[in-house]
Amino acid sequence: MAEESVIRAAGCVLWRRAPSGDGLEIALVHRPKYDDWSHPKGKLKRAEDTRSGAIREVTEETGLTCALGPELPTVRYVVGTRPKEVRYWAAEATGGTFVPNREVDRLLWATPEAARRHLTQERDKELVAALLSALHVTRQGM
């Protein structure tokens, strides 16, 4: 399939240290259009590089700023008849405040275990394990 027909997107598995100081929490976004829970992501703008697109999508969907960490596995699937490719990064939340918007009406901070239960798509659940591995997180915390 021609490269130009691939839908290019980018996003982040957004995390923060748990307020309790024990481990980490992952930000999940609820998209009312699809009634699903996912990681912040979206289509790239023309000529936009994937790292910039991932940061922009986090800010647009969550109102939060972040610092990109390790790249996570790229997720590929089909939307309609077109292949979609989403590049992901681990990203630590560094500031900002969530304000509900047209694309995302809720943001949930969850433990990795709770995040896996909330996420709608299996491919998003697999990214939780990839994040923990990339950050060298054990079951005992960070």
Side-chain angles (χ1 to χ4, degrees):
M1 187 156 285
E3 183 66 29
E4 60 273 3
S5 69
V6 174
I7 301 167
R8 295 176 56 243
C12 294
V13 179
L14 188 63
W15 66 276
R16 69 179 183 189
R17 294 182 192 285
S20 66
D22 183 29
L24 61 80
E25 294 178 332
I26 297 170
L28 306 180
V29 295
H30 181 263
R31 303 179 305 165
K33 178 178 178 180
Y34 304 103
D35 190 24
D36 71 352
W37 287 95
S38 67
H39 301 292
K41 68 178 180 301
K43 292 182 215 159
L44 297 175
K45 295 179 187 276
R46 183 181 302 278
E48 182 177 38
D49 70 272
T50 52
R51 292 175 65 88
S52 298
I55 292 168
R56 177 184 53 75
E57 284 294 335
V58 166
T59 302
E60 285 180 4
E61 292 191 357
T62 70
L64 303 175
T65 56
C66 65
L68 289 188
E71 188 167 3
L72 300 175
T74 296
V75 175
R76 293 174 178 86
Y77 53 99
V78 176
V79 176
T81 60
R82 293 180 62 196
K84 185 170 185 174
E85 181 177 283
V86 187
R87 289 184 60 189
Y88 282 97
W89 279 264
E92 184 174 9
T94 56
T97 303
F98 174 68
V99 176
N101 58 70
R102 184 178 56 79
E103 282 188 72
V104 175
D105 63 351
R106 289 183 278 166
L107 180 129
L108 172 69
W109 285 102
T111 65
E113 295 77 24
R116 281 192 207 59
R117 288 191 304 270
H118 271 86
L119 287 162
T120 304
Q121 298 293 329
E122 195 61 38
R123 60 184 171 252
D124 289 338
K125 296 176 185 185
E126 293 168 7
L127 287 167
V128 173
L131 170 75
L132 298 178
S133 178
L135 298 179
H136 308 291
V137 175
T138 63
R139 278 196 119 40
Q140 290 74 40
M142 295 188 69

